[in-house]
Amino acid sequence: MREIGSQNFEREVINSKSDGVVTFTAPWCGFCKGTETVLKAVAEELSDVKFYVVNIEENPDLARKYNVRGVPTTLFVSQGEVKARKTGALTKAEIYKLINKTPVQKAQI
């Protein structure tokens, strides 16, 4: 997961050929920290999706542009378009549903 901002958002997310999950967060947000932990776990399982974090206090222009009214707000971006969005803390299952993927099943030994 990478932190990005206004200076590289378009290049990294909108113009990317890869699907991306962008979570808008704030340093004071407890739910954001929990969601980031879950997102990191999903990012380790899905190499074909890029995961990003945007700090709304440092990038208020992006928060306005993407109509972020609460944090965390998570967007799924594919082919330069926002395909899905969810505001609030997310579980692993909700992240997979947001990006329309099947959860990775770990092998049982």
Side-chain angles (χ1 to χ4, degrees):
M1 233 164 77
R2 266 185 65 215
E3 187 166 331
I4 60 170
S6 302
Q7 69 283 357
N8 57 354
F9 189 89
E10 185 117 349
R11 181 182 69 244
E12 294 286 332
V13 179
I14 302 303
N15 295 335
S16 176
K17 295 197 185 314
S18 299
D19 291 340
V21 174
V22 180
T23 302
F24 290 84
T25 66
W28 44 262
C29 172
F31 290 114
C32 296
K33 291 174 186 15
T35 297
E36 283 184 48
T37 301
V38 176
L39 286 164
K40 285 178 186 175
V42 175
E44 289 177 10
E45 296 175 358
L46 297 176
S47 61
D48 61 328
V49 178
K50 294 185 179 182
F51 289 79
Y52 304 99
V53 176
V54 175
N55 180 330
I56 64 165
E57 290 187 350
E58 294 174 0
N59 301 280
D61 54 324
L62 284 176
R64 274 190 303 278
K65 182 176 182 175
Y66 290 95
N67 201 25
V68 175
R69 300 280 184 222
V71 288
T73 292
T74 303
L75 309 177
F76 173 58
V77 181
S78 182
Q79 299 175 346
E81 292 182 32
V82 176
K83 302 290 186 178
R85 72 182 294 135
K86 176 104 167 111
T87 300
L90 295 173
T91 64
K92 196 171 181 180
E94 289 172 320
I95 295 167
Y96 275 99
K97 184 176 179 183
L98 183 78
I99 62 177
N100 200 24
K101 296 248 185 206
T102 303
V104 174
Q105 299 295 321
K106 300 214 178 202
Q108 299 290 328
I109 299 177

